[in-house]
Amino acid sequence: MELAICFIPTRFGLALLGWRESLAYFVLPQRTKEEALRHLTRYGVTLEGLTTGTPPFPEVISRVQAYFEGQRVSFPYPFDLGHLSPFTRRVLEAVASIPYGTLVTYKDLAETIALPRATRAVGRAVGRNPLPLFIPCHRVVGKSTLRGFSGYGLRYKILLLSLEFLGSGPGRNSPF
């Protein structure tokens, strides 16, 4: 099945969601469609053959928008990580279980998957997450620092954590 996409307008820009039968890719809000598509190619996706459409779970759009308004929402949708290595899938499945508003260290995550000495490998696997927000890699931090946010930078990690811990309102603006 071909990859289908849709753009989701949020108060921070245009997010991009990609799916086949299950959710496969998510690009955090960007200023333009072109920037969102450029981020999509970072996952190894080629833009030829993409189709646009309605996601298989139409309410996902309003949930993404609500999240970026600072509302507590869940994303109980199936996702497809079949194009990733078994180790990366294992790590990201553990990340998917991190509750809203909770922080976990890379070391904690390595211990969760029963590989306590694999902290760096866990960090690399987290950095390959094709579904940020749905698989909340922004909730994984270093033991004494937030660390970066692969492909998006630390500002996005701070934004997402701020939305979860502080909410959003008329006085809160984007850090961009």
Side-chain angles (χ1 to χ4, degrees):
M1 182 174 185
E2 288 184 358
L3 184 67
I5 63 166
C6 72
F7 295 95
I8 303 172
T10 75
R11 67 182 292 209
F12 299 106
L14 291 170
L16 183 152
L17 181 64
W19 67 91
R20 289 185 179 86
E21 291 176 13
S22 300
L23 302 184
Y25 301 99
F26 184 73
V27 174
L28 292 168
Q30 302 296 309
R31 291 183 183 124
T32 65
K33 288 181 178 181
E34 291 75 22
E35 286 180 34
L37 288 167
R38 197 168 25 257
H39 269 275
L40 184 62
T41 64
R42 291 182 182 177
Y43 298 123
V45 173
T46 57
L47 301 181
E48 297 81 39
L50 289 179
T51 60
T52 57
T54 302
F57 317 101
E59 72 282 358
V60 72
I61 293 171
S62 61
R63 286 181 184 232
V64 167
Q65 291 169 327
Y67 180 91
F68 285 105
E69 289 300 324
Q71 297 175 32
R72 184 181 185 128
V73 296
S74 62
F75 298 103
Y77 306 106
F79 43 81
D80 175 14
L81 302 176
H83 58 288
L84 300 172
S85 73
F87 176 77
T88 299
R89 284 195 306 266
R90 183 174 166 192
V91 170
L92 294 179
E93 287 165 1
V95 172
S97 70
I98 301 171
Y100 184 95
T102 302
L103 297 180
V104 172
T105 67
Y106 292 97
K107 184 176 193 267
D108 294 337
L109 191 56
E111 291 171 355
T112 297
I113 64 165
L115 293 169
R117 299 187 68 189
T119 303
R120 288 185 184 188
V122 163
R124 284 189 297 276
V126 169
R128 292 185 180 100
N129 181 8
L131 286 160
L133 200 61
F134 295 87
I135 300 174
C137 53
H138 59 281
R139 298 179 190 151
V140 183
V141 298
K143 74 177 178 186
S144 61
T145 179
L146 286 178
R147 292 215 180 143
F149 193 41
S150 186
Y152 293 97
L154 188 56
R155 290 187 315 174
Y156 260 107
K157 189 169 203 155
I158 291 168
L159 170 67
L160 298 177
L161 292 175
S162 296
L163 287 169
E164 291 188 20
F165 285 94
L166 304 173
S168 182
R172 298 209 182 275
N173 294 314
S174 167
F176 304 102

